[in-house]
Amino acid sequence: MKGSARKPLALQKGNLNVAVVQQRQAEEELVKTASDQIIRPPAWMKNKVARKEWKRVVPQLLEIDVVGNLDMANIAGYCMAFANYRKATEELENNPLVFVDEENGTAAVSPYINIQAKYAQEMRRFADLCGMSVGSRLKAAAAKTKEKESEMESIFGVI
């Protein structure tokens, strides 16, 4: 029997009792990974724009404690999508959005529009996986708040 994928506590809905919340928090602590390997961009990521974006976002992600070494590929995916999005955007600034096809005289949309849209979508997908979207950060904040409430309840009981 195949069950649905387990969600992190921050993403779970519904009322969980204190014992279940504490158990799941302990389980999540057990699977947290180190973050020493994501301090610097990976050597294979040569794109300067992507490397600069890595250096911008990783310290902030580490500060809110939502990523670890196992997230390297997702962070790199975000950074590469960001670099390609920027490149497509720059091309759109230097080229017309619509041009006339010389062969048949019809108007055609710049291919950079589709490229830009593709990388914008990729950025959103990877950003959500890494905790960079507002929604994913709010979910993480809700989990941390719930954790603190559970700690207080275990110390003082339900008030």
Side-chain angles (χ1 to χ4, degrees), residues 91-126:
E91 288 296 329
L92 280 170
E93 289 175 2
N94 298 322
N95 293 291
L97 296 177
V98 178
F99 60 92
V100 176
D101 186 339
E102 298 294 330
E103 288 182 23
N104 59 20
T106 60
V109 176
S110 170
Y112 292 112
I113 291 174
N114 292 334
I115 294 168
Q116 183 189 46
K118 174 189 171 193
Y119 286 114
Q121 182 179 10
E122 285 291 301
M123 282 172 35
R124 282 190 297 276
R125 186 172 64 86
F126 283 118

Side-chain angles (χ1 to χ4, degrees), residues 4-91:
S4 62
R6 176 96 178 258
K7 293 180 182 178
L9 188 58
L11 303 179
Q12 294 181 18
K13 296 178 181 156
N15 295 323
L16 303 175
N17 66 40
V18 174
V20 171
V21 169
Q22 289 174 342
Q23 177 185 350
R24 293 198 179 155
Q25 287 170 341
E27 291 168 354
E28 288 181 15
E29 280 298 315
L30 289 173
V31 297
K32 273 194 172 185
T33 65
S35 56
D36 59 310
Q37 297 171 3
I38 62 170
I39 302 298
R40 288 185 282 303
W44 53 262
M45 195 169 67
K46 303 292 185 193
N47 184 292
K48 288 180 183 177
V49 173
R51 292 181 69 81
K52 186 175 179 181
E53 182 67 357
W54 181 287
K55 292 173 185 175
R56 185 186 75 82
V57 300
V58 167
Q60 295 175 65
L61 293 170
L62 291 172
E63 189 175 313
I64 59 175
D65 195 25
V66 295
V67 294
N69 291 337
L70 293 177
D71 298 301
M72 182 183 290
N74 287 333
I75 299 168
Y78 165 80
C79 292
M80 291 302 298
F82 174 81
N84 289 323
Y85 174 84
R86 287 267 314 265
K87 187 174 182 178
T89 300
E90 289 167 5
E91 288 296 329

Side-chain angles (χ1 to χ4, degrees), residues 153 156-159:
E153 284 178 7
F156 299 110
V158 179
I159 299 175

